[in-house]
Amino acid sequence: MLIAGVLVAGCLVALASGKIPPVLVFATTLSAAGLLGIAPSSELLSGLSSPAVVTVAAMLIIAAGVVHTGIVSRAGRRILGDASTLRGALTRLLYPIGFASSFMNNTPIIAMTIPAAQEFEQTSGIAARRLLMPVAFAAAMGGATTLIGTSSNLLIASLAGAEGIELGFFAFTPVALPTFFVGVGLLILIVRKVLRREEMTSDNTRRWRVELHVGAGALLQGNTLAEGGLLSARDYEATSVVRGTETVAQTNPLDAGDVITYEANANGVRQLWANPRFGQKNQRLYQVTLGTGASGNLGQLGHHNNLNILAARDSMGELSAATARPGEVLYVTSSSVQALESIDDIAMVTDVGDRAPQVAKTTLALGILAAVIATLAWGRFPTEWVAATGALAIIFCRIISARAAFRALNWNLLGVLAGSVGLGSIVVSSGIAEAIADWVVSTTGSSSVTLVLIVGVVSLLLAVFVTTTAAVSIVVPIIVYVSNSLAVSPGPLLALLAVSACLSFVNPYSNQSFMMVMGAGNYDFRDYLRLGAPVAGLTLITASLACLFWLAL
C-alpha cells in the first residue's frame, strides 16, 4: 500500500502543478501501477470501456448537433432581449443557462454565450465581463443537477455502479437543485460589488484590430487610401500601411501585397471585408470562438488551410503574434464552415452572412435530445446505450456530419475520464480507500455533521487543486466503504460529492468553462477569488445542509 500511496500522491501533485497534461499524468500513473502489479490490468484499463466515457462521448455529439442548429445562440440573444440593468440581465440569463447545462455539455453553451454577451455589451452598455463569469459558475452548478449534466456526475454513477449502487437520472437533484438556486441568487446580488467595473464601450468604440491585404489587381492598387475612400469612417480608421517589412506613409499609392491595418468596431470589420476595392479572395466571413485547447499564437492558427485571420479584439500588435486565448472571439475568412469545423482549436463558428436558421433541423435536434432525456429519466435502459442511440440519430438525421461528430469528441476530456477510472482502481485495489474510510469512520463516529463536512470540504479542495475527475475517482470508493461501515445511504453523500466537485470557482483552470471566459472577460485570478470564494462557501454550506436533511429522512 505504501508504493501505491506514493504513486497516487505523485499523480495528485503532478496534476496540481498544472505543468504536465492531465492525460499524460494519468497514463504514466497507470503504466507504473501496471508494471508494479498494484492492480490488475483489466481494472487499470477499465476506463477505456467505462459506461461513463461512452456516455460522455455520445452526449458531446448530441450537444454538438443541438448547437449546430444555432438554437443556443438565438436563445441567448432573445433571453437578454431589452434588459437594461445588470441584475435584470443576470436574472434572465443565469437560470436558463443552468437549466440547459443540466442536459448538455457546458463548453458549447459557454462558447455560444461569449459573443452574445459581447454583442449585448455594445447595445446595452452592460460590460460582458460582469456576465461571463457568473454564466460559467451557473453552468457548473446547473450541470450538477442531473446524471448527464457533467462528466463527473457520469463518472460517479459509473464508479458507484461497479459497487452495486445504482444512481438514477435525478439522483443528485435533491442536493444540487437548492445549491443551484442559492448560488445563482448570490451571484445576482454580489456581482456588481465584487467584479470591478471597466470603462463601458459603445458600438462606435474601435476595439478590433483588422489587417487587410491589397490583392493583385485590386481597385486600390496605385491609389492612396484617401483616394479610395478607405482612410477613415465612423466605424473604422486606418492606422498603418506595411509594405514587406517596412511601414510606409498612408499618403503613398498602394501596391499589391501591402497590408493595411485598421482600428474598427464590429460593423467596421464587416464593412471593410465587404468592400470590393481590396480585391479579397472569394471567401465568407465568419466569427469564431476559440476553445479550451487554444494555445500558441494566432499566426500558428492561421497556418491551417483555407483560414485567414482578419480581426482580433483588443490586439495591440500584429495579429500573427497575438496570443491565442481560450474563449477569444475572432473574425476569420474561409471557404466553408466545414473547413473551420475541422480545426481543433475552434469551439464555435458563426456565419456573419446571417443565413436563415434551419428551423426544421432545430426541432429535430431538440426532439432527439428530449427523447434521450425522457428515456434516461424512465430508467429502463442503460445510460450509455440510450446516449449512443441519440448520438447516432443526430448523425443519421444529418443534423451534423460524421466528420463533425468525430470532431465534437473532446479526446482530452475522454482520456482524463478513462484515466480517472484507472486511478480509482489503484485506490481500491491497494487498500488506500479502505484505510482512509476506516480513519473517517473513527473520526466521525456517529456524527453525520462531521461526515458531511469531511466529504464536502475534501471534495472541494481536491477539485480546486487537482481535477474534478481525480477528486471523484478517489472519494467515491471512500464513500462506499464509509456508507457500508456506518450503515448509511451512500446516495446523499455521492450527491454532495457531485456538487462539491463543481464548486472549484476560485481556480479558473479547474474547469473548461471557467478557463474559456477568462480571456473573453479579461479576468485575473483575483477576480475568480473575489467572486468565487463567497459563492463556493455559501453553496457548499447549502449542499451540506441539503445532504444532512436527506440523511435524516
Side-chain angles (χ1 to χ4, degrees):
M1 187 169 69
L2 177 61
I3 297 176
V6 172
L7 192 60
V8 171
C11 175
L12 297 181
V13 170
L15 289 171
S17 71
K19 296 181 179 180
I20 307 174
V23 172
L24 184 58
V25 173
F26 282 117
T28 303
T29 302
L30 298 187
S31 298
L35 290 172
L36 295 172
I38 294 175
S41 297
S42 58
E43 295 182 8
L44 292 172
L45 300 176
S46 60
L48 297 176
S49 60
S50 168
V53 177
V54 175
T55 305
V56 170
M59 293 306 299
L60 287 173
I61 294 174
I62 295 174
V66 173
V67 169
H68 187 70
T69 66
I71 182 61
V72 178
S73 178
R74 299 197 303 274
R77 288 171 170 83
R78 178 168 294 185
I79 288 169
L80 285 170
D82 58 353
S84 58
T85 65
L86 175 61
R87 183 167 295 181
L90 289 171
T91 302
R92 289 188 180 194
L93 193 58
L94 299 190
Y95 292 107
I97 288 290
F99 176 77
S101 296
S102 65
F103 304 115
M104 292 174 54
N105 181 267
N106 295 345
T107 302
I109 295 176
I110 299 301
M112 285 288 191
T113 305
I114 289 172
Q118 292 175 342
E119 179 181 317
F120 182 68
E121 176 181 352
Q122 300 297 336
T123 59
S124 68
I126 298 173
R129 74 183 316 271
R130 284 184 156 182
L131 297 176
L132 292 177
M133 189 185 293
V135 162
F137 290 175
M141 291 185 289
T145 57
T146 67
L147 180 66
I148 62 173
T150 67
S151 56
S152 57
N153 285 10
L154 288 165
L155 182 59
I156 291 173
S158 177
L159 294 174
E163 300 296 330
I165 302 171
E166 297 298 326
L167 297 175
F169 188 78
F170 297 107
F172 308 121
T173 306
V175 173
L177 193 60
T179 303
F180 169 74
F181 280 110
V182 170
V184 168
L186 183 61
L187 284 170
I188 294 172
L189 288 175
I190 70 173
V191 163
R192 181 182 295 276
K193 295 181 179 179
V194 173
L195 286 182
R196 69 181 187 277
R197 177 177 179 176
E198 291 189 338
E199 183 180 353
M200 297 296 182
T201 59
S202 68
D203 192 43
N204 288 327
T205 303
R206 300 164 181 163
R207 300 185 64 178
W208 293 87
R209 178 186 173 94
V210 187
E211 293 181 0
L212 281 164
H213 293 254
V214 178
L219 297 176
L220 271 179
Q221 193 172 347
N223 297 312
T224 65
L225 284 172
E227 291 171 343
L230 289 167
L231 182 61
S232 66
R234 185 191 67 173
D235 295 325
Y236 58 81
E237 181 177 8
T239 58
S240 67
V241 178
V242 176
R243 181 171 299 159
T245 58
E246 298 181 356
T247 301
V248 300
Q250 297 180 25
T251 54
N252 286 0
L254 297 168
D255 289 341
D258 287 353
V259 180
I260 308 170
T261 302
Y262 288 89
E263 290 179 349
N265 59 25
N267 288 332
V269 175
R270 293 189 283 268
Q271 291 174 24
L272 288 168
W273 173 250
N275 195 298
R277 295 181 178 88
F278 292 99
Q280 297 295 322
K281 297 178 182 178
N282 184 24
Q283 294 183 328
R284 290 190 66 86
L285 181 64
Y286 299 92
Q287 187 183 75
V288 303
T289 304
L290 300 185
T292 54
S295 61
N297 56 47
L298 297 184
Q300 295 170 324
L301 181 65
H303 287 160
H304 292 277
N305 293 333
N306 298 318
L307 170 64
N308 297 291
I309 298 175
L310 180 67
R313 189 181 171 102
D314 297 328
S315 178
M316 302 302 294
E318 292 185 10
L319 293 182
S320 60
T323 302
R325 300 175 299 176
E328 184 170 7
V329 178
L330 307 172
Y331 280 101
V332 304
T333 63
S334 182
S335 58
S336 66
V337 172
Q338 289 73 22
L340 295 176
E341 289 181 340
S342 66
I343 300 173
D344 292 336
D345 291 340
I346 294 177
M348 189 200 72
V349 180
T350 302
D351 190 339
V352 179
D354 197 23
R355 292 172 178 168
Q358 300 180 25
V359 178
K361 295 290 186 181
T362 299
T363 304
L364 185 58
L366 291 178
I368 293 172
L369 175 61
V372 169
I373 294 170
T375 307
L376 289 175
W378 188 20
R380 293 291 299 274
F381 301 98
T383 302
E384 61 273 21
W385 294 118
V386 173
T389 302
L392 290 173
I394 289 286
I395 298 172
F396 286 141
C397 292
R398 297 185 178 181
I399 296 173
I400 59 174
S401 65
R403 181 177 181 180
F406 183 81
R407 180 182 173 274
L409 298 176
N410 186 331
W411 295 105
N412 183 65
L413 172 62
L414 297 176
V416 168
L417 282 175
S420 298
V421 175
L423 181 64
S425 70
I426 295 175
V427 173
V428 173
S429 297
S430 64
I432 294 176
E434 188 173 1
I436 296 176
D438 289 340
W439 174 82
V440 172
V441 170
S442 62
T443 301
T444 61
S446 59
S447 173
S448 297
V449 174
T450 305
L451 175 61
V452 166
L453 286 176
I454 290 176
V455 171
V457 173
V458 170
S459 301
L460 176 58
L461 292 177
L462 284 174
V464 169
F465 294 108
V466 190
T467 65
T468 300
T469 54
V472 166
S473 64
I474 291 173
V475 177
V476 167
I478 296 173
I479 288 177
V480 173
Y481 278 114
V482 169
S483 300
N484 291 334
S485 299
L486 297 178
V488 298
S489 173
L493 296 176
L494 292 172
L496 177 61
L497 166 61
V499 174
S500 301
C502 80
L503 301 180
S504 55
F505 303 141
V506 297
N507 181 4
Y509 296 105
S510 65
N511 185 294
Q512 290 185 344
S513 299
F514 305 164
M515 186 168 62
M516 283 191 70
V517 301
M518 189 176 188
N522 194 26
Y523 302 120
D524 55 33
F525 272 94
R526 290 173 297 178
D527 292 321
Y528 284 90
L529 186 62
R530 280 195 293 261
L531 184 61
V535 176
L538 183 60
T539 49
L540 180 60
I541 292 173
T542 304
S544 300
L545 291 174
C547 180
L548 284 170
F549 179 77
W550 191 0
L551 284 171
L553 293 178

